[in-house]
Amino acid sequence: MRFQFWGEHLYAQDKNVTVSSTIETFDKGLFSYGKDSAYPPDRSQAVFPSALTIEWSNSSLDDKVAFALRNFADAIRDVAFADGQNVSHAAKYVNYALFGTPLGDMYGGNVERLRRIRAAIDPDDVMSLTGGWKF
């Protein structure tokens, strides 16, 4: 309900708002193939990605939309816990993570290993010239 109210408030400030959500369902054995990898940091349970997408045209709302998206994600996680679902191990899906998401929220304890790999492969730190997550 809180999010719905915020959405109505956003629409009052920008008539070009679109809100959509996607829930992706995959085979439950998704993470049983291959060797351990950086993502997900915990392969013991499959947690499938979902995305809430908000599109808007008024750039003055950028921070408000990011705040709302983070609150919405936190509310979903709280509901899952209240429903008895243990999602404490669930990493944020890298392709859907909002800017500013800590690397540990996506890669867990693998962050330091990924930093060492990046340093060995890219000693001149060329990849930091691009966008995206910085190790």
Side-chain angles (χ1 to χ4, degrees):
M1 202 56 132
R2 178 178 55 204
F3 182 77
Q4 182 180 4
F5 172 77
W6 185 89
E8 291 169 0
H9 179 70
L10 175 64
Y11 184 71
Q13 296 179 47
D14 186 339
K15 301 293 185 203
N16 297 310
V17 171
T18 301
V19 178
S20 61
S21 65
T22 304
I23 299 172
E24 298 185 31
T25 56
F26 300 116
D27 181 310
K28 289 184 180 184
L30 174 69
F31 299 129
S32 64
Y33 304 99
K35 298 178 181 178
D36 286 346
S37 62
Y39 183 89
D42 180 353
R43 294 176 150 244
S44 64
Q45 279 182 289
V47 176
F48 304 121
S50 58
L52 175 69
T53 304
I54 301 177
E55 298 174 28
W56 65 102
S57 59
N58 183 344
S59 63
S60 72
L61 300 174
D62 292 357
D63 291 337
K64 289 181 181 180
V65 171
F67 180 79
L69 285 166
R70 287 187 175 94
N71 281 342
F72 187 77
D74 291 344
I76 294 286
R77 186 172 284 228
D78 291 347
V79 168
F81 277 122
D83 190 43
Q85 299 177 52
N86 180 5
V87 293
S88 60
H89 70 287
K92 301 241 168 126
Y93 184 50
V94 179
N95 290 342
Y96 296 166
L98 193 58
F99 65 91
T101 299
L103 291 172
D105 288 358
M106 297 176 281
Y107 298 103
N110 294 319
V111 173
E112 288 309 314
R113 179 172 65 96
L114 290 167
R115 284 185 173 138
R116 288 191 303 272
I117 292 169
R118 192 227 31 96
I121 292 173
D122 182 19
D124 296 324
D125 204 20
V126 172
M127 289 304 293
S128 287
L129 300 174
T130 67
W133 309 112
K134 309 295 185 201
F135 289 95

